[in-house]
Amino acid sequence: MTPGAPALLASATIPDALTFAVAAVICVVGALGVVLMRNPVHAALSLVMTLFGIAVLFVEEDAQFLAAIQVIVYTGAIVVLFLFVIMLLGVDRRERVTADVFRGQRVVALGLGLMVLAEVVLLARTRWVTGARSATGALEGPGTNVAKLGRAVFTAYLVPFEVTSALLVLAVVGAVVLARRPARTEPRRGAGASPGGEPGTPSGEGPAGDQASQEVPHAGDAGGAGRRGGGDGADQVGDGGGARLEPEEVVPR
Amino acid sequence: MTGDPLFAHGVGLAVVLIVIVKAVVAFVALLVSTMLMVWFERKVISDMQDRIGPNRAGPFGILQSLADGTKLFFKEDLLPSRAERVVFRLAPFVAVVPAFLVFAVVPVGGVVTIAHHVVELQVADPPMGILFVLVMSSIAVYATMLAGWSSGSKYPLLGAVRASAQMISYEAVIGLTVVMVILESHSLSTRAIVESQAQHFWQWNVIRLGIVPFVLFFIASTAEMNRPPFDLVEGEQELGGGFNTEYSSLRFALFYLAEFMNTITMSAVAVTLFFGGPDGPGFHVVRWLWPILWFVGKTTIFCYVQVWIRAALPRLRYDQLMDLGWKRMIPLSLGWLLIVAGVIVSVSWGFALMGALLVGAVLVWQAARLGRRRRLAGLEPVTGPGARG
């Protein structure tokens, strides 16, 4: 059960070693897939595969709670979010991997990758970083794993836990504020005279509306309309608000 | 480590065999009951609509779903030319596998002794059992999403995006109600949750937690399974057949199978969480049989209620669905969670919290009303898109 040194791997039972091998292969293949797949959706699915492999490794280490949370949070929420973005923004086509988006991107990425690798090796093999080995053995003492984790989170690590949750709530509130469409509060000069624009515009409910407004390829026009609107902030809330403003603002002129 | 007593004395050949037999029996039982569920649903709905329903294949048409399955099996397997081939083939399996796996953690009976081994009548009893249900329901989202996206067509994509938003929203409610059950039962293991409700029916969680968490769970699980009245995934008027429009033959059969299997497993999970699972009065004749019968009976009642709901209620509109989820059920379950936690600490704390929450809810409601009135007074009536909601 105890990871770390190769010597310990030899002492593991055969089912343990087999499980580890299979899960490790799943993890590595998935990770390679994330990097090498051309299609963003395939890359995201490879990420799911890696996360599953890691969940299996957690179960193998008797950390069932972590395994479940890993799948619920990362697979069930975060990668689903990735896929949402990929599908809604319509970037689900093959990308040209040869093109460098940022200059010097590859060199920096290589350097950072090597740094992370060195860090992992240092944490696993030496003890001068934190004063103790990162993995010292299985959890001991009475009580289940879940109970111990719960006790630790709500006693010794209560403040970090609460601060993290407050941070997340703040982030959500911030996202909602930023994403809010100002359509209701702004004074609409052309409100009475908006002929013909209505049926074509999305009704603003749900993904259908979002996607339809994505398909209006007038980012420049929308920004222009926002500027003409006297700084009502329409240009910073994304294409949804901007694109919808367009017909009403343009037609009267 | 607590856990499955089967593994307490090492893993030998007998243990491995017992596990395999348990898995196979659960698999077959679930398949057969899914077949019966399709028939049951069609028959009950036709009864409610004053029709006869399937009555050709076998006695009372009970073999109709077998006939339908055979037909689907032999139909041509179509692959749309614009489909993303790999993902298109993968999606049906992503739908079926979680539907099967959820059932693995549901306790269907008591504990029996086979060849000196203590065997719990459920496929697996992991320490995080109930979280496993949430894990599987979060994976089921992928099936819908990938099926819709990989079809390479507009309607399935819109249906899938809509469905995954719906499923993720209602997962939050399911999670919160499950947390209440965990608080009351002091464990994540499904076996321990069932045991904590044993002996008297007033110890069932549905009563111990107040009725509200159960009602929330039931509505949310109906939405999670995309069953009527929440079946916007396949809103025919708007989306053709929804996310599985482009599927045919065996792949479609897999989605169909997963849908009905989910009905059964979610009913079984509801029974486990709130109605004591296999708990019920036993008799001295065949001891091990009674809990199983109780479990099957309770689950059947839940399946019947699902069918009843389908027959009785019209489909919601999408904004109503989201309003119900985010503006009503999530706040209610959060508030109820606080009250449950308060009551567990002490009863007076519980009542104090309840009062505070009621006052807070009324204040927020009044503030929202005031805000809306001010806005309406300050502005001329807003027309056009974005005027509501």
Side-chain angles (χ1 to χ4, degrees), chain A residues 39 41-42 45 48 52 59 62 64-65 67-69 71-72 74-76 79-80 83-84 87-88 92 139 143-146 180 183-186 188 191 198 201-203 205-208 211 215 244 248, chain B residues 1-2 84 86-87 90 126-128 131-132 134-136 138-139 141-142 145-146 149 154 157-158 160-162 164-165 168 171 188 317-319 372 375-376 379-389:
Chain A
N39 188 320
V41 172
H42 291 177
L45 289 179
V48 171
F52 261 108
V59 172
D62 247 350
Q64 279 101 348
F65 183 77
I69 294 302
V71 179
I72 291 175
Y74 285 97
T75 315
V79 182
V80 167
L83 285 176
F84 249 65
M87 289 175 188
L88 283 181
D92 50 342
L139 205 54
T144 60
N145 198 317
V146 180
R180 231 180 121 79
R184 311 178 65 173
T185 48
E186 90 205 30
R188 296 157 70 99
E198 302 306 324
T201 51
S203 59
E205 47 163 289
Q211 218 211 16
E215 286 170 4
R244 268 198 296 116
E248 291 153 19
Chain B
M1 270 314 142
T2 57
E84 178 74 45
V86 183
V87 181
L90 178 75
M128 47 50 162
L131 290 184
F132 189 77
L134 298 181
V135 166
M136 286 305 142
S138 69
I139 292 177
V141 178
Y142 277 90
M145 205 162 175
L146 294 178
W149 173 77
K154 282 256 153 73
L157 178 67
L158 291 179
V161 169
R162 201 187 242 210
S164 24
I168 293 172
E171 233 166 63
L188 297 178
R317 219 169 52 209
Y318 193 73
D319 60 321
R372 197 178 305 138
R375 199 163 51 222
L376 288 181
L379 296 168
E380 52 190 349
V382 180
T383 54
R388 53 169 313 288

Side-chain angles (χ1 to χ4, degrees), chain B residues 78-141:
Chain B
L78 294 174
L79 190 70
S81 57
R82 294 186 60 189
E84 178 74 45
R85 284 158 181 278
V86 183
V87 181
F88 189 80
R89 292 205 174 98
L90 178 75
F93 297 101
V94 181
V96 168
V97 170
F100 267 115
L101 288 183
V102 167
F103 200 70
V105 294
V106 175
V108 293
V111 176
V112 295
T113 308
I114 302 173
H116 305 296
H117 289 288
V118 181
V119 180
E120 293 175 341
L121 290 183
Q122 70 188 89
V123 176
D125 180 21
M128 47 50 162
I130 197 60
L131 290 184
F132 189 77
V133 176
L134 298 181
V135 166
M136 286 305 142
S137 70
S138 69
I139 292 177
V141 178

Side-chain angles (χ1 to χ4, degrees), chain B residues 232-282:
Chain B
L232 290 116
V233 192
E234 36 194 285
E236 289 89 352
Q237 303 94 325
E238 305 132 23
L239 293 171
F243 71 99
N244 56 17
T245 305
E246 303 289 347
Y247 280 86
S248 63
S249 180
L250 200 58
R251 295 188 219 286
F252 175 76
L254 287 180
F255 279 118
Y256 195 69
L257 185 72
E259 188 185 328
F260 280 91
M261 210 181 287
N262 276 330
T263 311
I264 297 175
T265 49
M266 282 316 252
S267 303
V269 170
V271 167
T272 304
L273 288 179
F274 293 101
F275 285 83
D279 174 47

Side-chain angles (χ1 to χ4, degrees), chain B residues 106-112 120-122 191 194 198 204 271-272 275-299:
Chain B
V106 175
V108 293
V111 176
V112 295
E120 293 175 341
L121 290 183
Q122 70 188 89
R191 171 68 49 180
V194 164
W204 288 356
V271 167
T272 304
F275 285 83
D279 174 47
F283 303 95
H284 287 284
V285 197
V286 225
R287 277 260 180 98
W288 57 273
L289 188 63
W290 297 105
I292 300 180
L293 286 183
W294 281 113
F295 173 79
V296 172
K298 289 175 191 172
T299 309

Side-chain angles (χ1 to χ4, degrees), chain A:
Chain A
M1 286 291 184
T2 320
L8 287 168
L9 196 61
S11 71
T13 59
I14 295 173
D16 279 344
L18 271 180
T19 316
F20 174 78
V22 171
V25 167
I26 290 175
C27 286
V28 174
V29 170
L32 286 176
V34 175
V35 185
L36 297 178
M37 292 280 185
R38 303 263 170 115
N39 188 320
V41 172
H42 291 177
L45 289 179
S46 306
L47 184 59
V48 171
M49 191 171 151
T50 304
L51 293 171
F52 261 108
I54 293 172
V56 172
L57 286 178
F58 275 139
V59 172
E60 176 68 16
E61 295 292 332
D62 247 350
Q64 279 101 348
F65 183 77
L66 276 184
I69 294 302
Q70 158 102 1
V71 179
I72 291 175
V73 173
Y74 285 97
T75 315
I78 291 180
V79 182
V80 167
L81 210 66
F82 287 175
L83 285 176
F84 249 65
V85 173
I86 292 171
M87 289 175 188
L88 283 181
L89 295 187
V91 289
D92 50 342
R93 50 180 183 271
R94 286 159 193 280
E95 297 210 343
R96 286 181 55 212
V97 281
T98 44
D100 239 355
V101 183
F102 306 110
R103 274 171 69 185
Q105 187 188 15
R106 275 149 213 263
V107 183
V108 175
L110 191 69
L112 281 177
L114 283 177
M115 251 165 71
V116 170
L117 186 67
E119 221 170 288
V120 169
V121 170
L122 275 182
L123 279 174
R125 305 287 302 194
T126 66
R127 61 183 66 202
W128 57 265
V129 184
T130 53
R133 294 280 291 247
S134 59
T136 48
L139 205 54
E140 281 159 6
T144 60
N145 198 317
V146 180
K148 278 179 178 163
L149 193 63
R151 203 165 291 280
V153 165
F154 284 101
T155 54
Y157 300 100
L158 180 65
V159 175
F161 182 74
E162 295 293 342
V163 169
T164 312
S165 60
L167 182 70
L168 288 175
V169 170
L170 279 180
V172 169
V173 171
V176 169
V177 169
L178 285 178
R180 231 180 121 79
R181 291 171 179 166
R184 311 178 65 173
T185 48
E186 90 205 30
R188 296 157 70 99
R189 288 164 300 161
S194 57
E198 302 306 324
T201 51
S203 59
E205 47 163 289
D210 286 347
Q211 218 211 16
S213 53
Q214 285 295 341
E215 286 170 4
V216 180
H218 295 150
D221 286 7
R227 244 179 287 120
R228 266 172 295 169
D232 51 10
D235 43 351
Q236 42 179 302
V237 286
D239 325 36
R244 268 198 296 116
L245 272 177
E246 194 182 9
E248 291 153 19
E249 295 282 334
V250 171
V251 169
R253 278 152 211 268

